[in-house]
Amino acid sequence: MEGLNLRKHKKTNRPLVLLSVMLAMFVSAVEATIVTTAMPVIASELGGFSRYSWIFSAYLLMSTVTVLIYGKLADMFGRKPILFIGMLLFLIGSILCGLATSMEQLIIFRLLQGLGAGAVMPIATTIIGDIYTTEERAKIQGYLSSVWGISAVLGPAIGGGIVYYLSWEYVFWVNVPLGILAMIGIGLFLQEPTREKKVSIDYKGAILLTSSLSLILYWLTEGGQSFTRTSLLSLFLILTGVGLLLLFVRVEQKAENPMMPFSIWKNPVILYANLVSFTTGFILIAISTYLPTFVTGVMEQPAIVAGFTLTAMSIGWPIASSVAGHLLVRYGTFTVSFCGGLSLIIGAVLFALMNPSLGPIWAAIASFFVGVGMGLTSTAFVVTIQGAVHHNQRGSATAANMFMRNFGNTVGAAFFGAILNYSLMKHFQKNGSSFGLDDVNLLLTSESRHSISSADVQLLQDALNLSIQWVYIGVVLFAIISTLLILRIPRGKELVKADE
């Protein structure tokens, strides 16, 4: 009944809290698209192009590692104080990023940004779970998902405009007033119940979780680049990371107040929803990473057209989320998520069948279907998970689902990257070419394509086309796996309501 009492609290202004939460989510979501647009200019000014990928990896590592810890802390100490700590770290990191004078400094400040960002998305979503009933929550998720679509459309435009008319520093600083406004809104209009003063913090679990995931994610991100997968350093990182993770599981089973309450995973809805979030993370990272490269390098379309094909996914996602909110109440989690799985398969198959002659419209349609699938499944899972646990576990449950998707993104990036690189090198060797992986960059602009012979352009395009086709075959595989996992979710029209 605790969650019910909270939702009836007279002093909580739900519309204004919703707007503040959406603003906080927008600040976090738009960060990626703005920075991506500005990075070529930043790299040219700061130098250190070899560390280019770490600008993104540092942010991803810290936000993924900390999301579970923030979710648990929000259950223990309340949503507001933990969200404020995360947002403050994020904003301080943003200010420092704009002041960076080298790529090394920028990487360190991006780590700080990521440390704060891990709190924003899960806790913002959890707040909505606290103040709305399960039926209302299903509809409100459509508004939250629209934030992703808006940020995907506006982010590149805002980033490009800032770089062109101002300076790249403002790409980071534009977040500061928006973040402060979101904090003010949540601080003034969200009222939380008084919590017990005495709480036991699982320090051992937090340290083990952070250490193990940092090592595993570093191995996934840098393996094959900074070191070979078969090197002693590689073996040390993965064995130590997995060992610490197994020790974390053992410690959590005995902890009085565990950082990760594994008991909630016994619920089949939560178990399979999290597993599907992990597998759809593979799909998401494959499309986001390689679709623009295919459209630009193989189809020879300008960057703006490549961006359009990817934006189609960000349009399909919020539309499907809004529809899912209404369908959930009427048909239940299984039906909605199963429709999402079918849409993922359709989009994945369209990608696998794609060839240069079909043009960017085909790519956009495939991207749209994947977005619809992501919107249906993600909304169904978040709403159902939040309804399946009590208020004092909702933060952990929401964070666990988001962590699984982030983890899927990271593992997927390493998995598909290995497939692409292996296929490219195999094609070059088969044709007796001296080209290497970096030579694929010659396809990405019309100027660089004209700098080499038409025969070399054709060779590179054939290699890239074939290699990305193998990636999309992998996407089909993970779409099928996701749908098979969805079939394990219990049928039924009623939403689970553990707190009502």
Side-chain angles (χ1 to χ4, degrees):
M1 294 298 291
E2 185 180 0
L4 182 61
N5 291 335
L6 179 59
R7 284 190 294 275
K8 290 183 177 180
H9 204 295
K10 295 180 180 179
K11 293 183 179 180
T12 293
N13 188 317
R14 299 199 304 177
L16 291 178
V17 170
L18 174 61
L19 288 174
S20 301
V21 164
M22 291 176 67
L23 184 57
M25 293 178 71
F26 176 79
V27 168
S28 178
V30 80
E31 174 67 18
T33 50
I34 286 184
V35 174
T36 300
T37 307
M39 267 311 297
V41 175
I42 296 173
S44 66
E45 183 168 326
L46 297 183
F49 186 79
S50 61
R51 298 178 178 84
Y52 189 100
S53 63
W54 261 106
I55 301 301
F56 304 99
S57 298
Y59 185 86
L60 176 65
L61 281 171
M62 289 308 299
S63 58
T64 302
V65 164
T66 56
V67 66
L68 289 173
I69 296 174
Y70 280 126
K72 182 60 182 179
L73 292 176
D75 285 337
M76 296 169 64
F77 299 105
R79 320 304 189 205
K80 281 202 294 188
I82 304 304
L83 177 62
F84 286 175
I85 290 172
M87 184 63 82
L88 280 174
L89 288 173
F90 178 83
L91 296 181
I92 292 171
S94 297
I95 293 171
L96 293 174
C97 282
L99 298 174
T101 57
S102 68
M103 288 289 269
E104 289 79 8
Q105 287 185 8
L106 186 57
I107 290 169
I108 293 172
F109 299 147
R110 286 283 284 176
L111 285 169
L112 182 59
Q113 256 194 326
L115 180 63
V120 177
M121 203 62 70
I123 298 180
T125 307
T126 304
I127 289 173
I128 297 304
D130 289 343
I131 65 176
Y132 288 96
T133 64
T134 302
E135 287 80 3
E136 292 173 328
R137 209 179 295 150
K139 299 174 183 178
I140 292 298
Q141 281 298 325
Y143 296 120
L144 299 185
S145 296
S146 68
V147 172
W148 292 98
I150 294 170
S151 65
V153 174
L154 293 183
I158 295 173
I162 288 175
V163 170
Y164 185 80
Y165 292 106
L166 297 171
S167 177
W168 65 263
E169 291 90 343
Y170 290 92
V171 164
F172 297 102
W173 294 341
V174 72
N175 287 323
V176 177
L178 298 178
I180 292 174
L181 188 60
M183 291 173 64
I184 292 173
I186 293 172
L188 291 178
F189 303 115
L190 174 66
Q191 303 298 324
E192 293 194 278
T194 304
R195 298 175 186 270
E196 295 181 8
K197 296 294 182 181
K198 294 182 179 180
V199 291
S200 59
I201 301 177
D202 182 18
Y203 292 109
K204 187 183 294 186
I207 293 172
L208 286 172
L209 178 65
T210 302
S211 302
S212 62
L213 291 180
S214 295
L215 290 174
I216 293 172
L217 293 176
Y218 181 80
W219 179 82
L220 288 169
T221 304
E222 288 298 301
Q225 299 183 49
S226 298
F227 51 85
T228 62
R229 295 287 188 190
T230 56
S231 66
L232 288 177
L233 175 60
S234 176
L235 293 175
F236 170 78
L237 288 172
I238 188 60
L239 291 177
T240 305
V242 172
L244 290 174
L245 187 62
L246 293 174
L247 184 59
F248 165 75
V249 173
R250 185 175 179 181
V251 167
E252 293 303 276
Q253 292 173 339
K254 299 179 180 179
E256 179 183 350
N257 195 7
M259 185 62 62
M260 166 53 72
F262 286 104
S263 59
I264 64 176
W265 287 65
K266 295 178 181 179
N267 184 319
V269 174
I270 293 177
L271 172 63
Y272 289 108
N274 286 345
L275 290 176
V276 174
S277 292
F278 177 72
T279 54
T280 53
F282 278 72
I283 298 172
L284 193 59
I285 196 66
I287 304 303
S288 301
T289 302
Y290 299 115
L291 179 57
T293 303
F294 185 88
V295 175
T296 304
V298 180
M299 292 185 176
E300 298 188 3
Q301 297 293 328
I304 190 170
V305 174
F308 158 73
T309 61
L310 197 56
T311 299
M313 180 168 65
S314 300
I315 294 173
W317 192 321
I319 291 175
S321 293
S322 300
V323 174
H326 298 281
L327 296 179
L328 268 174
V329 178
R330 186 171 181 180
Y331 297 107
T333 304
F334 170 78
T335 301
V336 175
S337 56
F338 181 69
C339 290
L342 292 179
S343 185
L344 287 173
I345 291 177
I346 293 172
V349 170
L350 289 175
F351 275 121
L353 296 174
M354 184 169 62
N355 62 65
S357 64
L358 293 173
I361 296 297
W362 182 283
I365 293 172
S367 184
F368 180 81
F369 272 104
V370 171
V372 169
M374 293 299 300
L376 291 175
T377 54
S378 63
T379 300
F381 294 155
V382 169
V383 172
T384 306
I385 286 172
Q386 290 185 341
V389 298
H390 292 283
H391 178 267
N392 59 1
Q393 289 184 321
R394 190 174 291 143
S396 298
T398 304
N401 184 254
M402 294 188 174
F403 165 78
M404 290 298 285
R405 184 182 300 156
N406 288 347
F407 195 45
N409 283 341
T410 308
V411 179
F415 177 78
F416 288 120
I419 289 177
L420 183 79
N421 293 344
Y422 176 81
S423 181
L424 283 170
M425 291 308 300
K426 200 75 174 174
H427 190 85
F428 293 149
Q429 292 169 6
K430 181 180 178 181
N431 289 274
S433 172
S434 60
F435 281 132
L437 297 176
D438 289 339
D439 292 313
V440 175
N441 291 329
L442 295 170
L443 295 176
L444 301 184
T445 65
S446 59
E447 293 81 4
S448 58
R449 283 194 295 270
H450 287 128
S451 69
I452 57 176
S453 68
S454 58
D456 285 340
V457 169
Q458 189 62 53
L459 174 62
L460 287 171
Q461 286 183 333
D462 289 343
L464 185 59
N465 180 27
L466 178 64
S467 301
I468 292 182
Q469 287 302 320
W470 279 112
V471 170
Y472 289 146
I473 290 172
V475 169
V476 173
L477 175 63
F478 279 98
I480 293 172
I481 292 173
S482 299
T483 306
L484 291 176
L485 288 170
I486 289 171
L487 291 175
R488 303 289 297 175
I489 294 175
R491 274 79 162 167
K493 295 182 180 181
E494 291 299 321
L495 292 173
V496 182
K497 304 173 189 178
D499 59 333
E500 296 168 10

